[in-house]
Amino acid sequence: MNKSNRTYVRIAILGVLLLALVFALYSSIVKDPNVVKAGNDAPNFSLPQLDGPAMKLSDLKGKAVVLNFWGTWCEPCKAEMPALQKQYDALKDKGLVVVGVNIGETPVAIQSFVKQYNVSFPILLDRDLQITKMYRIGPIPTTFFIDRDGEIEEIFIGQMNDAIISQKVANILE
């Protein structure tokens, strides 16, 4: 077997192993009864706020909640933050709460980001990634739209704009 044939064999074996890994991960998530998905109640948690005491998700029952997982280094998170703030400003008096869950960063980094983007909604600190793991967060931003009864109406993975947020918020404010 010559050198180029060995390379192709190695690539094929690597491809098969990668497919097996993806299948195993997918199967474990699909079969996991604890996976957080639309139609289920949002798992309760308590996290410290950037500027205040700890907040429990269950304390927001009766309000429509936009639960956004993000990071200061995430470009799509930066791009959607003004749209989240705009929805919060427009609808907080109608029962909308936007909650940002920062994934594992220091308060100093987060404070600078919050100031730069004029964020006034609550920012929670998931320093040890416990809630990030509970909610099975992969790519960020990931946003959960939770109705007034605490049920997850929809999960959106990726960057949102004003129109997307507005449409999804209208569904949970009903």
Side-chain angles (χ1 to χ4, degrees):
M1 197 181 258
N2 67 28
K3 192 173 184 174
S4 69
N5 284 346
R6 276 189 248 141
T7 302
Y8 290 121
V9 169
R10 287 179 181 157
I11 290 171
I13 290 171
L14 185 59
V16 168
L17 290 173
L18 185 59
L19 281 173
L21 176 63
V22 168
F23 178 76
L25 289 172
Y26 174 77
S27 296
S28 69
I29 290 170
V30 169
K31 293 177 184 174
D32 185 350
N34 298 321
V35 72
V36 178
K37 58 187 175 189
N40 290 358
D41 287 340
N44 191 30
F45 62 83
S46 178
L47 283 173
Q49 293 185 63
L50 179 62
D51 294 320
M55 176 187 278
K56 285 184 188 173
L57 186 61
S58 60
D59 291 342
L60 302 176
K61 203 137 192 173
K63 297 185 182 269
V65 178
V66 176
L67 184 65
N68 178 259
F69 288 81
W70 65 281
T72 62
W73 48 268
C74 163
E75 291 303 321
C77 301
K78 292 176 187 178
E80 78 177 5
M81 200 57 70
L84 287 167
Q85 183 64 49
K86 181 179 172 183
Q87 289 295 316
Y88 177 68
D89 289 340
L91 299 168
K92 63 185 172 190
D93 293 336
K94 293 186 175 159
L96 178 70
V97 179
V98 175
V99 177
V101 178
N102 179 270
I103 298 176
E105 295 183 88
T106 66
V108 172
I110 300 164
Q111 193 70 52
S112 175
F113 181 95
V114 164
K115 188 174 183 179
Q116 179 182 350
Y117 288 90
N118 297 312
V119 175
S120 64
F121 54 80
I123 300 295
L124 306 183
L125 309 177
D126 190 14
R127 295 290 308 272
D128 60 5
L129 308 180
Q130 212 172 359
I131 308 311
T132 301
K133 290 174 188 168
M134 176 195 298
Y135 273 74
R136 308 283 202 281
I137 302 301
I140 59 171
T142 294
T143 307
F144 294 78
F145 293 87
I146 304 167
D147 70 17
R148 295 175 189 272
D149 296 324
E151 184 179 300
I152 299 168
E153 286 287 320
E154 190 169 350
I155 302 168
F156 191 93
I157 299 172
Q159 180 182 327
M160 299 180 293
N161 59 29
D162 280 326
I164 293 170
I165 297 169
S166 181
Q167 180 260 323
K168 296 186 182 323
V169 163
N171 292 340
I172 61 172
L173 275 174
E174 293 175 340

